[in-house]
Amino acid sequence: MKNLIIDATKEEVIFLVITDSQSYNTSYINSRQNFDQFINLLLIFLKKYNLEIENIGKIFVNQGPGKLSSIRTSIAIAKAIALSKNISLYGFNSKDFDGSDYKKILILEKKNKLNKDLIKPYYSS
């Protein structure tokens, strides 16, 4: 199963796909210009690694804390994809894992420790 992780809470927007045997990732500067191109950047990332949205089984999106526009954009895109493609959607928080080891997010999901479908953003002040 392919798992898509979206994290726009830090200085970079991170897209990551983790499969049973491989992982693919890319990052972009967390900027207003990239929010306007967010879905295009995601599609470019998927195309680069010959990945199809239809083959994604689960989407994980960081709910924060972070900047309002970053979180709002990433959650909106994740929800839209999940709804349109009937993909399970999970929310996680930055405090749920150690900064860069996103595989821990998959472990938390298996332990039912993540929000499913009801994504609640946490904005920093």
Side-chain angles (χ1 to χ4, degrees):
M1 175 182 299
K2 292 181 174 81
N3 301 287
L4 172 62
I5 298 173
I6 301 172
D7 187 349
T9 62
K10 300 177 182 102
E11 296 301 315
E12 295 181 319
V13 175
I14 297 168
F15 298 127
L16 174 68
V17 170
I18 299 175
T19 69
D20 294 332
S21 60
Q22 296 177 317
S23 66
Y24 310 93
N25 67 55
T26 195
S27 62
Y28 298 93
I29 295 171
N30 193 338
S31 67
R32 174 70 182 159
Q33 180 183 12
N34 285 340
F35 298 146
D36 293 342
Q37 297 295 317
F38 201 90
I39 190 66
N40 291 333
L41 295 174
L42 177 58
L43 293 174
I44 289 167
F45 161 68
L46 294 172
K47 185 176 181 177
K48 177 179 179 180
Y49 294 105
N50 296 318
L51 301 167
E52 302 279 336
I53 289 177
E54 290 76 13
N55 295 330
I56 302 292
K58 297 176 183 173
I59 299 174
F60 299 86
V61 62
N62 194 336
Q63 304 169 124
K67 297 176 186 175
L68 176 117
S69 53
S70 303
I71 293 170
R72 187 172 51 196
T73 300
S74 60
I75 290 174
I77 295 296
K79 282 184 175 183
I81 294 169
L83 284 171
S84 67
K85 300 296 184 179
N86 198 27
I87 299 171
S88 296
L89 178 62
Y90 296 87
F92 66 93
N93 298 322
S94 295
K95 65 177 177 58
D96 290 335
F97 72 107
D98 178 22
S100 61
D101 188 3
Y102 288 95
K103 290 181 182 180
K104 289 183 180 177
I105 300 302
L106 302 180
I107 294 168
L108 291 172
E109 184 267 325
K110 288 180 183 176
K111 293 180 179 180
N112 294 318
K113 302 269 184 183
L114 300 180
N115 295 332
K116 185 169 188 237
D117 297 325
L118 181 60
I119 308 303
K120 299 178 182 179
Y122 298 100
Y123 305 117
S124 59
S125 36

